[in-house]
Amino acid sequence: EMCIRDRWYQRRVHGVNTEKTHTSKYVLGIVDPVEKKIKLIEPDVFNLRQYCRNEQSSPMTNLLSSYKPNEQKTLLVEEFGTKKGKKKLQAMRNSVVEEEHISSSKEMKIIFEDKAGELQKRISEEDPNDLHTLIRQKREYLPEFDVNAKTAPEIYKINSIISPDEWSVLDVSELSNVVKKPHLLQKQRRFFHPLTFRYLEHLSKQPLERDTLTTKLKQTLYLNYMMKFYETLFFLKPLNDVSTETGIPLTIVKSITARFYDEIPLPDNKIKFSRSAVLTDKLICYIFILCLFIHDFQLNLVDLCQTMKYDLKKMQHYSREIGCTKLGGKSASTGGGEQAFFVQLKAPLRFLTKLRSVNRTKQSLESVVEKEALE
């Protein structure tokens, strides 16, 4: 033990004190303020630990054992805490609201209990396998569809994907001439998305009538615009600037952003257009269905997998949500060595799941649609 400036230190030796075990030497200097000299002492390897002689145990030691951990912290802060710590503790106490201090607390309890009961009742009554519930859920992210359609083109309404106003601004007069000449089409390749260009090459090899070709070219051109937005998760530019830079008509820009993007206000009267995961799923479904229209309702999922950057299992999930089924005999490799997995859309819709009860199984689709229309 030694005393330095009224503080007692106690040394603790570690290991064997031999010269072989020493990796370094320590020197302890003690200052003599009177003689103004420093006395150097070469000690053994030890650590100094400060302690108080005749230390008495605090009465708080036994008292804290009967308190909870949070209460112990509170007592310690009150006795030993800094001013800042005590202020935080007081602020926490002031933020606690006792139930008896709330005006109309009984009334608020009744309101919350009633709301909770309504929600629980709604959840218990809403059967996910019910036809009415399933159709309502599908309409949230799918284009307008008819469950009583007799043919594939009548299932989804093309006007709910491409509105009449958008259809009128789609100009394919120049594109119709380019498609007929493969060498000119190759020169225009940089203006199209890879998926769209692959579809244009397919259309150029098909013997289609003029009106049919014009319709499919307009659908393909609109698909090209949708793919540009699919690759853009969010943007801050005004819609007029987006239309000018991309060459997409302003009417189409406004329509796509209104359906597949959320508008987030920012300072300085700016707006951020952002697409959530739910809206991304909705956009993929619209793209999927538009591709079905272009390919006469038979589609190779491998093309979409390469474009959407999803695996085949994920695209199969989207196809089932839309109502497609696997096309038998077309899941092998193609002539070019690429893998192919074809699906088709046909009437009646196949995404409606089996019902649990016998009575619901006998329920007709017509009655469900009529009930939905009345609501």
Side-chain angles (χ1 to χ4, degrees):
E1 289 183 345
M2 63 181 68
C3 181
I4 302 176
R5 294 186 179 181
D6 299 330
R7 293 186 180 182
W8 286 89
Y9 292 86
Q10 186 179 40
R11 78 173 185 174
R12 184 176 297 173
V13 180
H14 299 277
V16 182
N17 184 21
T18 60
E19 293 183 359
K20 294 182 179 180
T21 59
H22 288 178
T23 57
S24 60
K25 291 186 178 181
Y26 296 88
V27 177
L28 177 65
I30 301 177
V31 179
D32 188 350
V34 179
E35 298 182 0
K36 296 183 180 181
K37 292 181 179 180
I38 299 176
K39 185 178 181 181
L40 301 179
I41 301 174
E42 184 177 351
D44 297 333
V45 180
F46 64 88
N47 292 334
L48 295 179
R49 182 178 65 86
Q50 183 179 349
Y51 74 100
C52 299
R53 276 192 171 185
N54 301 326
E55 181 179 4
Q56 297 179 357
S57 60
S58 173
M60 294 290 292
T61 304
N62 297 327
L63 291 175
L64 292 177
S65 59
S66 61
Y67 287 90
K68 296 180 180 179
N70 290 336
E71 295 174 345
Q72 292 181 12
K73 291 181 180 180
T74 301
L75 292 174
L76 291 173
V77 171
E78 288 178 348
E79 185 168 349
F80 303 107
T82 60
K83 291 183 179 180
K84 186 176 181 180
K86 291 180 180 179
K87 285 183 179 180
K88 287 184 178 180
L89 179 61
Q90 188 61 36
M92 291 173 60
R93 287 177 173 174
N94 294 337
S95 62
V96 176
V97 180
E98 301 293 339
E99 184 178 347
E100 57 267 20
H101 295 161
I102 303 177
S103 60
S104 306
S105 60
K106 293 182 179 180
E107 291 78 1
M108 294 297 294
K109 270 188 176 181
I110 294 173
I111 293 174
F112 288 140
E113 289 175 357
D114 293 343
K115 290 292 183 182
E118 291 177 5
L119 291 174
Q120 187 64 33
K121 184 179 179 181
R122 188 185 306 172
I123 293 172
S124 60
E125 292 180 352
E126 190 172 89
D127 186 358
N129 285 330
D130 182 65
L131 288 178
H132 178 65
T133 302
L134 186 59
I135 289 176
R136 187 177 67 252
Q137 292 173 350
K138 294 288 184 181
R139 295 197 188 280
E140 294 179 358
Y141 57 89
L142 292 179
E144 184 181 350
F145 58 86
D146 182 9
V147 294
N148 298 318
K150 303 301 181 182
T151 60
E154 296 175 350
I155 294 178
Y156 289 99
K157 308 301 181 183
I158 190 63
N159 289 342
S160 63
I161 302 175
I162 309 174
S163 66
D165 293 337
E166 294 175 290
W167 189 267
S168 62
V169 298
L170 290 170
D171 185 11
V172 294
S173 56
E174 183 179 353
L175 184 59
S176 59
N177 296 326
V178 172
V179 169
K180 298 176 182 178
K181 301 176 181 179
H183 65 282
L184 294 179
L185 183 60
Q186 288 293 334
K187 292 181 179 179
Q188 301 293 327
R189 185 168 190 162
R190 67 181 184 277
F191 298 110
F192 298 99
H193 189 273
L195 178 66
T196 309
F197 185 78
R198 193 179 302 120
Y199 287 176
L200 289 175
E201 287 183 322
H202 175 74
L203 292 175
S204 65
K205 302 175 183 178
Q206 301 297 319
L208 301 174
E209 296 181 358
R210 182 175 180 180
D211 294 341
T212 305
L213 179 62
T214 301
T215 299
K216 290 191 176 294
L217 286 178
K218 283 193 174 187
Q219 295 171 353
T220 307
L221 182 59
Y222 193 86
L223 175 65
N224 190 63
Y225 296 154
M226 295 185 78
M227 294 307 303
K228 288 183 178 181
F229 278 98
Y230 174 76
E231 295 178 345
T232 305
L233 193 60
F234 67 91
F235 58 92
L236 300 172
K237 295 180 180 180
L239 298 184
N240 292 329
D241 295 347
V242 173
S243 176
T244 303
E245 293 179 3
T246 59
I248 303 175
L250 183 60
T251 304
I252 297 177
V253 171
K254 290 181 178 179
S255 176
I256 292 178
T257 53
R259 287 180 291 176
F260 307 112
Y261 287 86
D262 293 321
E263 294 186 12
I264 303 175
L266 297 177
D268 301 331
N269 296 325
K270 294 183 179 180
I271 297 177
K272 177 182 178 180
F273 295 91
S274 179
R275 192 177 70 237
S276 63
V278 175
L279 292 177
T280 298
D281 289 338
K282 181 179 179 181
L283 178 58
I284 292 175
C285 290
Y286 273 65
I287 292 174
F288 200 117
I289 296 171
L290 186 56
C291 292
L292 286 170
F293 272 95
I294 297 172
H295 284 273
D296 297 326
F297 306 98
Q298 293 184 5
L299 189 62
N300 183 9
L301 293 187
V302 176
D303 293 338
L304 287 179
C305 291
Q306 296 172 354
T307 302
M308 304 292 184
K309 309 301 182 184
Y310 287 131
D311 56 9
L312 184 59
K313 186 177 180 180
K314 181 73 171 178
M315 295 312 302
Q316 284 181 277
H317 173 73
Y318 282 112
S319 68
R320 287 192 295 267
E321 289 294 321
I322 292 169
C324 295
T325 56
K326 180 181 177 182
L327 187 60
K330 286 196 174 183
S331 59
S333 61
T334 60
E338 298 179 354
Q339 293 296 321
F341 189 96
F342 284 88
V343 295
Q344 65 178 349
L345 179 68
K346 61 181 181 179
L349 277 176
R350 299 292 300 272
F351 60 63
L352 300 176
T353 57
K354 294 182 179 180
L355 304 179
R356 295 178 181 175
S357 64
V358 177
N359 294 332
R360 288 183 178 177
T361 306
K362 296 180 181 178
Q363 183 181 11
S364 64
L365 293 178
E366 290 83 355
S367 63
V368 175
V369 175
E370 289 176 2
K371 181 179 178 182
E372 187 180 23
L374 290 175
E375 291 184 353

